[in-house]
Amino acid sequence: MLTPGPLTTSDVTRQAMLVDWGSWDPEFAAVTREVCDWITQIATTTRDDLRCVPLQGSGTFAVEAAVRTLVPAGGSIVVLVNGAYGRRLAEICRRSGRLPIVHETAEDVPPDPADLAALLAAHPEASHVAVVHCETSTGMLNPLAAIADAAGAAGRRLIVDAMSSFGVLPVHAEHPAVDAIVAASGKGLEGVPGMGFVLLPEAVLLASSGRCDSLAMDLSDQYTYLKRTGQWRFTPPTHVVAALRSALEQYVAEGGIAARRQRYQANGDTLLGEMTALGFRSFLPAELQAPIIYTFHAPRDERWHFADLYREVKDRGFILYPGKLTQAETFRVGCIGAVTTEDLKSAVVAIAQSLAALGVAQI
Ligand SMILES: *Cc1c(COP(=O)(O)O)cnc(C)c1O
């Protein structure tokens, strides 16, 4: 699976799902506690007031929970958009009755912190800023630290969608402007999908009590209940949590964030090198590219159809990802998950063989 979640998991992680757990079981409560402690330690080792609040569902559920728990209904929030996940964030705000002030740049252009500062000066009513750290629809790494500085200087709070970067790249959890960092089980931590989580300062969690206008997505309630009883409100995704504990054990054994980043960077460098040798052009320049997922321009050959390549490459053992851009025809290849440079080399060989089988000559 060369996809950015669900992704390739290790045999050990999949085996961790062979046990059924009772949600009320003290041993399962300990698993939840361990998972949350590990996640907090991955985010920061110097700050002790951050709490990890797990939430059932895919990553989007956790993003929506963060917005609805932190931003008051009817409140305004600046949303930085340069891809599909930024647009989804703005849509979450709109649907939940928070007013997004959208600052959009092209899909290959990061937001400029000076523009954000000017926008915040013009919008004193916006209490928060939301940004996607790695915009997975292109693979772009947005300048999180500079954006946090601009938000902090204007006295605003930051919500970070760090879904595909968490555990791989630093998420600047120590920055005083950061209110929430959102990620999920089935991305860079290499668990299976089904659990999101939000990291927040405890004071922010307590201060937001009663603000959320959704029962199931109230992070403050989830936190208080978990802290008091050791149990999740509502049925937890038990097998997902057990798999995540195993994946985190393997993450620590591999060498933590530095080792994970190094392996993904080697994967990405290999992928980009081999694809370029075939004649493919990367959508993003190297300096904007995160080592997570890569976007390539579609070949100009009239025999090119992504669905055909997908099928041919799948027959050869690899799963690719379609493009998600509005401005260009592209497709994507992820380099995260339990995969190595050898896997990426074999994948590019499979792509070359598939193109030949399809008669796509002009790349
Ligand atoms: C995966 C992802 C999400 C969550 O998407 P789901 O489909 O809900 O898992 C959100 N933001 C980013 C940047 C992502 O990569």
Side-chain angles (χ1 to χ4, degrees):
M1 302 260 291
L2 301 178
T3 53
L7 40 64
T8 307
T9 55
S10 72
D11 291 343
V12 177
T13 299
R14 272 178 268 117
Q15 276 155 12
M17 292 185 286
L18 295 176
V19 177
D20 295 323
W21 295 87
S23 58
W24 38 263
D25 193 287
E27 264 186 78
F28 181 72
V31 175
T32 299
R33 224 172 18 251
E34 225 177 292
V35 162
C36 289
D37 285 349
W38 254 331
I39 289 172
T40 311
Q41 279 164 35
I42 291 169
T44 177
T45 48
T46 58
R47 184 172 177 171
D48 63 7
D49 66 328
L50 273 198
R51 301 290 177 266
C52 169
V53 186
L55 188 74
Q56 300 91 332
S58 84
T60 304
F61 290 63
V63 176
E64 181 161 340
V67 167
R68 296 177 78 151
T69 302
L70 296 178
V71 184
S76 296
I77 171 170
V78 167
V79 182
L80 303 174
V81 174
N82 54 5
Y85 290 100
R87 280 193 289 275
R88 188 184 293 177
L89 239 167
E91 180 63 12
I92 286 171
C93 298
R94 247 175 244 120
R95 289 267 195 120
S96 63
R98 279 75 180 163
L99 309 174
I101 300 158
V102 174
H103 176 69
E104 183 155 3
T105 50
E107 284 165 325
D108 55 354
V109 176
D112 182 340
D115 291 346
L116 173 61
L119 190 66
L120 291 174
H123 288 282
E125 75 278 17
S127 57
H128 290 73
V129 174
V131 65
V132 179
H133 187 202
C134 169
E135 180 44 86
T136 320
S137 55
T138 54
M140 155 112 60
L141 186 64
N142 279 318
L144 181 55
I147 287 164
D149 284 345
R156 318 303 165 86
R157 317 293 314 160
L158 190 64
I159 297 175
V160 184
D161 172 350
M163 208 68 64
S164 60
S165 57
F166 189 84
V168 184
L169 302 170
V171 289
H172 304 290
E174 296 82 10
H175 199 290
V178 170
D179 254 12
I181 296 164
V182 191
S185 53
K187 301 234 172 174
L189 298 179
E190 297 186 3
V192 301
M195 184 195 121
F197 55 86
V198 187
L199 288 150
L200 317 94
E202 185 171 39
V204 169
L205 271 168
L206 299 179
S208 53
S209 169
R211 186 183 300 142
C212 189
D213 52 352
S214 155
L215 173 68
M217 292 191 167
D218 189 331
L219 294 175
S220 184
D221 264 8
Q222 180 88 319
Y223 173 69
T224 329
Y225 190 83
L226 251 174
K227 191 173 173 185
R228 183 160 54 81
T229 65
Q231 291 170 21
W232 297 50
R233 293 175 321 155
F234 323 132
T235 306
T238 46
H239 299 79
V240 176
V241 180
L244 183 56
R245 178 180 56 176
S246 168
L248 285 163
E249 241 161 37
Q250 296 163 68
Y251 177 92
V252 172
E254 186 180 356
I257 190 164
R260 185 66 42 111
R261 178 186 196 164
Q262 208 169 37
R263 177 159 58 85
Y264 288 176
Q265 187 69 58
N267 286 350
D269 291 347
T270 301
L271 172 70
L272 195 57
E274 305 278 320
M275 288 293 276
T276 308
L278 279 189
F280 281 100
R281 286 177 308 126
S282 170
F283 175 74
L284 290 179
E287 65 274 16
L288 299 178
Q289 176 74 59
I292 290 163
I293 187 167
Y294 290 71
T295 299
F296 297 99
H297 287 283
R300 280 157 290 200
D301 196 298
E302 60 182 17
R303 275 159 293 192
W304 161 267
H305 300 287
F306 177 74
D308 296 338
L309 179 76
Y310 180 89
R311 197 189 56 242
E312 288 286 335
V313 172
K314 184 178 174 184
D315 285 347
R316 290 169 172 80
F318 297 93
I319 301 285
L320 304 178
Y321 215 50
K324 205 172 188 166
L325 300 196
T326 49
Q327 69 190 49
E329 202 201 333
T330 56
F331 67 100
R332 290 176 289 170
V333 188
C335 66
I336 65 177
V339 293
T340 62
T341 52
E342 287 310 309
D343 296 314
L344 284 139
K345 278 185 199 156
S346 307
V348 180
V349 169
I351 290 172
Q353 289 170 347
S354 301
L355 291 171
L358 295 167
V360 176
Q362 196 196 343
I363 295 172

